[in-house]
Amino acid sequence: MKLLTAVSMVSVFSPRATRARGADWVELSVLIEGRPMTNGRIISAQRILSEPGDDLEIIDQDDLDDGIGIDFDNDPSVSDNVSEEKCQLILEELESRSQLLGDLYPFSIVSKNSGWSLEMKERISPEISGAHKCYLACLLMTCARSELLNFDRTSSVVQGIGNAFQALAYISAAELLGGKAFWMGFPRPDRSNMLDAVRNLSDQMGLGIPVDQRPPSVGSTNSVKDGGIDLIAWRTFKDGRPSGIVLYGQVASGDDWQEKSVNGNIGKFKAFFKSAPAAHPLIAIFIPRVANDGIGEDNVYSYEDRVSASISSLDGELGLIVDRLRLTELTGQFGRSASYEYKDIQYCIRKIVEWSVKAIKQARE
């Protein structure tokens, strides 16, 4: 096994990684290193990781540069069929993201001679800068929860992911329904306890009747932080009558997101109401990764068919899956239908940017 000195926080992905995880590595490398990533360099990474007798799955990018000692700009001598096929799958994933998001995608795929590279977009308008910040924050959060960033799991950056992603999901949630949203996940920005939060929510929604005191099933008011509900989004109508559209959302930034259904928490949340805001709420889960993160290749079904089947199988338990691509799309539409207080927008954007800056700084150390 090769022993190389580690000097970079960004790690090379395993050759067994999915195409989505490989694409994340390429994007992360461009962001952290501040230079384009060429297809030649991707192929080189696959070659060094796949050499017979080498059980090293994760190596650092600076080590990769030093260890191979070649020109990464599409050197034909580093090509082989398996590595080229893997590189092609990664390109297909990057192209899919670029086509889906258009100007909202923060990277450009640039053709160079017989190869290609991924580069950061340099000139962006203020109208789409928020979407770019959203995408890059989600990318960093995903990688910080995986092997792609060698962060100490007890570091302030990793520990701060949950709250930063809550802020990001919150400013996107209202766009789903063209209405408003409420930050229920603990800790809330106003530091309210559960009873006060429920009262504030009911007042803002104009739906539901909150309880006057602690529900009998709850040991103490402070023992329930958020009732297992992170976000509530709703749309009411000008007639002011009941029967609005209500959505309960779960925020999940870890690998176990498929086990984080909000369904099991709705009963606990309803205990804080004499009459719940909605008898049959919509449900959703917000994740910083792409929904196809764990989907591999198959010799029978097409990749897109496998992705669609996987998402469909989760729909009943998780509801609407709002992943990195959908969050970016929603952020790109921000302000057209949502009605947040300006101070709320600034608070959330500040939290997202501050966390991202810390994450990039730590990754470059």
Side-chain angles (χ1 to χ4, degrees), residues 65-78:
D65 289 350
D66 296 338
I68 297 178
I70 61 173
D71 179 4
F72 293 113
D73 291 327
N74 309 314
D75 186 336
S77 66
V78 304

Side-chain angles (χ1 to χ4, degrees), residues 82-278:
V82 174
S83 299
E84 284 185 343
E85 288 174 5
K86 183 73 175 183
C87 185
Q88 180 60 32
L89 295 177
I90 291 173
L91 174 60
E92 290 176 10
E93 174 67 15
L94 294 170
E95 287 177 334
S96 175
R97 297 178 184 185
S98 178
Q99 290 166 6
L100 284 171
L101 293 177
D103 291 340
L104 304 182
Y105 187 57
F107 302 95
S108 296
I109 302 171
V110 181
S111 297
K112 291 188 175 182
N113 301 321
S114 60
W116 58 272
S117 67
L118 189 76
E119 305 176 3
M120 292 289 299
K121 287 180 179 173
E122 294 184 357
R123 292 187 178 90
I124 58 173
S125 65
E127 291 77 17
I128 63 173
S129 63
H132 284 204
K133 289 171 183 161
C134 167
Y135 188 96
L136 296 175
C138 285
L139 173 66
L140 287 163
M141 291 171 187
T142 302
C143 295
R145 294 286 198 195
S146 75
E147 77 280 4
L148 294 179
L149 277 171
N150 292 321
F151 285 170
D152 181 346
R153 295 298 178 254
T154 64
S155 69
S156 61
V157 170
V158 174
Q159 295 298 311
I161 290 175
N163 202 244
F165 185 57
Q166 171 85 21
L168 196 158
Y170 167 68
I171 62 172
S172 304
E175 291 292 345
L176 286 172
L177 304 182
K180 298 182 179 181
F182 188 87
W183 180 317
M184 180 59 70
F186 186 86
R188 287 171 284 277
D190 63 3
R191 302 296 174 182
S192 60
N193 63 31
M194 185 63 182
L195 269 179
D196 288 338
V198 167
R199 290 168 186 151
N200 291 338
L201 169 66
S202 185
D203 286 344
Q204 291 185 34
M205 294 177 74
L207 297 173
I209 302 173
V211 296
D212 298 320
Q213 58 186 352
R214 171 177 55 82
S217 59
V218 177
S220 70
T221 302
N222 293 327
S223 68
V224 177
K225 296 179 177 180
D226 50 33
I229 308 293
D230 293 321
L231 294 168
I232 296 97
W234 68 93
R235 178 173 178 172
T236 51
F237 298 88
K238 292 181 179 179
D239 59 24
R241 295 169 181 164
S243 189
I245 306 170
V246 179
L247 177 142
Y248 293 157
Q250 181 82 359
V251 173
S253 59
D255 289 334
D256 59 346
W257 64 274
Q258 296 184 14
E259 303 169 13
K260 297 288 187 179
S261 173
V262 77
N263 259 332
N265 298 322
I266 293 176
K268 292 184 290 185
F269 185 70
K270 283 184 175 180
F272 284 86
F273 291 88
K274 297 176 184 177
S275 175

